[in-house]
């Protein structure tokens, strides 16, 4: 593979990740899952430190060439948006500290890259992500599928 792209879907209690290999037009699923973020941890600073630690461990283990992360979009729930922004900031800081190339993509750009439609639903994104990565239909958490879709969108930047 020419390079690897690590897609990250930031959240407050679940952070999806998806690592793909990219060689020309060929995309290959390498690994995906959720970073462990203990929902029971009430102290925000402890949660953020945990996110940083888990992300750094993932990067050290997988050694990605590029990290793609979804840009924050505003929701009606400002409290949730702020917590996602904090998690996203910790991940960006950790990636920069590790010297990684970072690409940020909007949710609509991810949907366009994967489905051709910037307003596509979760089901269409999941179906096309599985097709593009030659994965069998499977039941996974949306955060994992979204992270893989983010990695696909970043792979379209052609480094």
């Amino acid at each position: 593979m020419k390079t690897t792209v690590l897609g990250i879907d930031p959240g407050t209690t679940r952070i999806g990740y998806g690592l793909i290999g990219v060689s020309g037009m060929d995309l290959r699923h390498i690994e995906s899952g959720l970073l462990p973020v203990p929902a029971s941890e009430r102290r925000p600073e402890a949660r953020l430190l945990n996110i940083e630690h888990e992300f750094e461990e993932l990067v050290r283990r997988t050694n990605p060439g590029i990290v793609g992360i979804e840009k924050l979009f505003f929701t009606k729930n400002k409290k949730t948006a702020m917590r996602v922004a904090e998690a996203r900031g910790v991940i960006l800081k950790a990636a920069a500290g590790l010297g990684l190339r970072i690409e940020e993509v909007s949710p609509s750009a991810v949907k366009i890259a994967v489905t051709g439609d910037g307003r596509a639903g979760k089901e269409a994104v999941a179906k096309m992500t599985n097709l593009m990565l030659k994965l069998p239909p499977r039941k996974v958490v949306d955060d994992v599928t979204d992270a893989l879709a983010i990695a696909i969108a970043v792979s379209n930047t052609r480094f």
Side-chain angles (χ1 to χ4, degrees), residues 31-110:
E31 177 182 336
S32 55
L34 294 171
L35 290 182
V37 180
S40 61
E41 181 57 68
R42 299 274 186 239
R43 297 174 307 137
E45 68 278 9
R47 291 183 71 133
L48 294 173
L49 285 171
N50 179 263
I51 290 168
E52 180 179 34
H53 171 75
E54 292 297 337
F55 175 77
E56 288 175 344
E57 286 299 311
L58 174 66
V59 166
R60 285 186 183 100
R61 186 171 53 75
T62 61
N63 194 28
I66 301 171
V67 172
I69 189 165
E70 192 170 57
K71 287 182 182 177
L72 186 62
F73 64 96
F74 293 97
T75 65
K76 292 179 183 178
N77 187 335
K78 290 179 175 58
K79 188 175 181 179
T80 299
M82 289 300 293
R83 287 189 179 145
V84 173
E86 290 170 349
R88 188 178 176 283
V90 165
I91 291 166
L92 287 169
K93 181 252 181 212
L98 293 168
L100 296 168
R101 177 176 164 194
I102 303 164
E103 293 287 335
E104 299 177 80
V105 289
S106 70
S108 61
V110 171

